[in-house]
Amino acid sequence: MDPNLSPLQSYYAARADEYDAIYRKPERQSDLREIERWLPAALHGRRILELACGTGHWTRFLAPVASSIVAIDSAEETLRIARARVPLANVSFAIGDAYVPGRTRGGPFDAAFAGFWFSHVPNERQVEFLAALAAALEPGAKVVLLDNLFVEGSSSPLCEKDVLGNTYQSRSLGDGSTHRVLKNFPSEAQLHALVSGGLGHSPRYTSWRYYWALEYRVPGHRPER
């Protein structure tokens, strides 16, 4: 494992082989089937930049309907699984940093998708992250963020909150290691306010029992489709 990885990156690299267990929780299956139908329709026909793709769990649902996908992640351990899972000609996987998406080759991109990544962005870096993402996309491109709602009894308990309002979970892996993981749960109002503050327009929020999604357009003009 790369010693230069951040604690969060190291956690997900170590978790690679256990990564998809979260999608097997029985109580979440109904939501997941709905999202598996909803997400491809939301990004149909687009040239997608996928951030923090992990093992390619969501890439596989987008690939059949996308014009192209460039999917990045910081961990080679998860990308190895993703490449085997989605071996399609219109999809490429690469090591990349979600905070500097402008370095990603393979554009131009008229859409971006980040599944279960935004909750790991510290509150103090959310504007930075979304601004950098907008700069990496075509004017008017569509962004879709998909993430968790906090549901007592299903979500891992919150163990800490820092002075900036970031919340943390303590997570254990199969090897017995325990990790302190930043996991924020923004409200619909917070997401709308964040995007509408100049980072995008036309936000649309969708929620299920265990998950939320936000669709919006980055600054610029492009015919709706």
Side-chain angles (χ1 to χ4, degrees), residues 17 20 25 35 40-41 56 63 72 75-76 107 130 132 134 139 156 171 187 193 206 216 221 223-224:
D17 291 335
D20 294 334
K25 287 195 170 187
I35 295 169
I72 65 171
E76 182 59 39
L130 293 180
S156 298
R171 300 185 182 179
S187 68
T206 303
Y216 69 93
H221 299 283
E224 291 288 333

Side-chain angles (χ1 to χ4, degrees), residues 1 5-16 120 171-173 177-181:
M1 190 179 300
L5 295 179
S6 70
L8 181 65
Q9 291 169 326
S10 296
Y11 164 72
Y12 276 104
R15 183 185 160 187
H120 295 305
R171 300 185 182 179
S172 299
L173 295 178
S177 61
T178 301
H179 303 258
R180 173 179 177 267
V181 177

